[in-house]
Amino acid sequence: MARPDKDREQEQQDTPKSRRSQRRAAVRASERAARAARHAEPEDWNRRLIIGSIVAAIIVAFGFIGFGWYQTQIKPLGKTVLRVNETTISLGHLERRMELERERNFIFSGTNQNLLQLPELVIDQLEAGIVLLDGLSELGLSVTDEDVAAEVRSRGGLADEVEASIYADELRQQVEDSGLKAGEYELLLRTEIAQDKAQAYFVYVGPQSEEQARGQVMALRDRVQADEVLQRLESGEDFLAVGEELALNPENLEIDWTPRGGTSTIIEDVEEFLFSAEEGELSEVFELGETFYVAQLLERDPDRELGEDQRTAVGSRELDTWVRDLRESYNEQGLVERNFDEDDAIRALDDIL
């Protein structure tokens, strides 16, 4: 019985020592773990630093690529190349209109020299159209939202009472087909409606009769041939006979009664000759590009009644004159500003080809 008491006493004496030993062991284990952690920490940090550096380099590289793309491809398209009063046209808008013009006008469908004229042609069209739309009120006219909606319905073959959802689908399709943005397509519609309204106005207020001329004109392939033809005509040969033999336009030698600006088939110099020459007089040789012309005035009437087609032609002439004068006025007032140079033209052509 004495032994158990001794064991219990020994156990009571050993317990604090045991606990102290356990604590020391735990401290040593903690120190070893700390030393191991301190040894491993630089390696982990190095790995993280290397990985972080690689990721940062990739992000920076993509950032430079994205920034370069934005600077060279996206940002230039937002450049304002034309301002007419409060309406602005961006380079991107101009390019989309150029693409539409290529679809509409066959002379720009290929990749010939005509394309070089496309940027200036389209920016001129935009300027003239916006000036016309902006100044339409001077004629007592306007283009309303209902006019635009009616034009959309007309182009889509829709009834006036068509459901709103069907109208919206049709408008969306027209915008998509045009290649323009919605606001750009609306501007196009408004300028074309303004053109039609102004044309009708000038036909309505135009004259019923006007000076007209009737003559003959032949187009020839080169200057030498044109000089030879003129000599033959001056020696008395028949204009139509010579023209049927040599002219580039043997089926269109005769110009019927026409007012000034009444036809687009004769060049400005020929028209000026027809309205200033004596009856029967032959012209000198006129040159336009690579084509040469010889003309003869047959008759001129100072006050001849205009037919329906002639009144339409006169209306177009008066409209063109009015728009030209209005553009000059806008430019003088500083209401038109172009910021479009050769680099922009080259960029626009490159983008659409």
Side-chain angles (χ1 to χ4, degrees):
M1 294 298 293
R3 186 175 181 80
D5 289 340
K6 186 176 181 179
D7 290 342
R8 282 195 298 271
E9 181 179 349
Q10 183 67 40
E11 182 179 349
Q12 290 173 355
Q13 292 175 354
D14 290 344
T15 296
K17 293 180 179 180
S18 175
R19 289 174 180 172
R20 286 194 296 271
S21 297
Q22 291 174 358
R23 284 196 295 270
R24 285 194 294 271
V27 169
R28 287 194 294 271
S30 177
E31 290 175 347
R32 286 195 299 269
R35 286 194 298 272
R38 284 194 298 271
H39 179 72
E41 184 176 345
E43 295 181 358
D44 290 341
W45 174 252
N46 288 337
R47 281 198 302 272
R48 291 174 184 175
L49 183 60
I50 292 171
I51 294 173
S53 298
I54 294 173
V55 172
I58 293 173
I59 293 174
V60 170
F62 276 107
F64 275 117
I65 293 172
F67 180 74
W69 176 262
Y70 171 78
Q71 288 292 104
T72 61
Q73 302 298 321
I74 305 300
K75 185 178 180 180
L77 296 178
K79 174 186 175 181
T80 296
V81 295
L82 174 66
R83 177 186 61 82
V84 179
N85 208 349
E86 297 180 358
T87 301
T88 59
I89 302 296
S90 68
L91 180 59
H93 184 173
L94 176 65
E95 289 183 3
R96 289 184 283 274
R97 282 292 294 269
M98 287 169 59
E99 290 182 299
L100 182 60
E101 183 65 23
R102 288 191 75 198
E103 294 178 6
R104 291 180 166 186
N105 194 335
F106 73 94
I107 70 171
F108 299 118
S109 59
T111 55
N112 52 39
Q113 287 294 107
N114 292 328
L115 277 175
L116 298 178
Q117 305 171 27
L118 184 59
E120 280 296 332
L121 172 72
V122 172
I123 202 168
D124 276 342
Q125 288 178 342
L126 283 162
E127 180 183 325
I130 298 169
V131 167
L132 169 59
L133 179 62
D134 197 61
L136 199 61
S137 59
E138 294 187 11
L139 305 179
L141 303 172
S142 64
V143 177
T144 66
D145 291 343
E146 179 51 39
D147 290 330
V148 175
E151 183 67 17
V152 171
R153 292 195 298 268
S154 175
R155 296 187 180 195
L158 303 179
D160 291 344
E161 301 81 12
V162 67
E163 295 180 8
S165 60
I166 297 177
Y167 172 86
D169 289 341
E170 174 60 32
L171 175 58
R172 190 179 305 111
Q173 187 62 53
Q174 290 184 24
V175 171
E176 182 179 338
D177 291 343
S178 73
L180 303 173
K181 294 184 178 180
E184 298 166 359
Y185 184 67
E186 181 180 349
L187 177 63
L188 175 64
L189 288 182
R190 287 184 177 274
T191 55
E192 291 182 348
I193 294 169
Q195 176 83 21
D196 291 341
K197 286 192 171 190
Q199 168 74 19
Y201 170 86
F202 282 106
V203 171
Y204 177 75
V205 301
Q208 299 297 314
S209 62
E210 196 173 283
E211 182 181 24
Q212 298 185 53
R214 185 173 73 87
Q216 301 174 132
V217 60
M218 73 173 78
L220 300 154
R221 67 175 180 272
D222 58 49
R223 182 62 187 243
V224 173
Q225 184 189 51
D227 288 337
E228 292 175 351
V229 164
L230 185 56
Q231 289 178 5
R232 291 174 62 179
L233 295 176
E234 289 175 338
S235 67
E237 291 193 49
D238 182 71
F239 193 102
L240 295 180
V242 175
E244 289 172 359
E245 176 189 347
L246 299 173
L248 297 173
N249 59 330
E251 298 178 354
N252 297 290
L253 295 170
E254 296 184 83
I255 301 173
D256 201 1
W257 288 106
T258 180
R260 288 181 181 271
T263 175
S264 60
T265 60
I266 58 175
I267 66 173
E268 184 177 345
D269 287 338
V270 170
E271 181 178 84
E272 185 60 34
F273 166 78
L274 293 176
F275 283 91
S276 61
E278 299 292 333
E279 291 186 2
E281 182 180 347
L282 287 166
S283 74
E284 60 184 78
V285 176
F286 299 118
E287 178 180 354
L288 181 63
E290 299 180 354
T291 306
F292 298 81
Y293 299 86
V294 175
Q296 183 178 35
L297 173 65
L298 297 178
E299 296 180 81
R300 189 166 60 247
D301 188 331
D303 190 26
R304 185 179 178 87
E305 184 178 353
L306 296 168
E308 183 176 347
D309 290 342
Q310 292 172 322
R311 292 190 63 202
T312 299
V314 169
S316 296
R317 182 194 70 199
E318 295 303 303
L319 172 58
D320 290 343
T321 300
W322 180 76
V323 172
R324 183 180 65 246
D325 292 344
L326 191 60
R327 289 175 69 179
E328 289 179 359
S329 174
Y330 269 49
N331 276 280
E332 290 172 358
Q333 298 175 63
L335 298 177
V336 175
E337 179 182 351
R338 285 200 190 191
N339 185 22
F340 185 70
D341 55 27
E342 183 178 352
D343 289 341
D344 295 324
I346 293 172
R347 162 67 190 263
L349 286 172
D350 285 343
D351 285 348
I352 69 171
L353 294 179

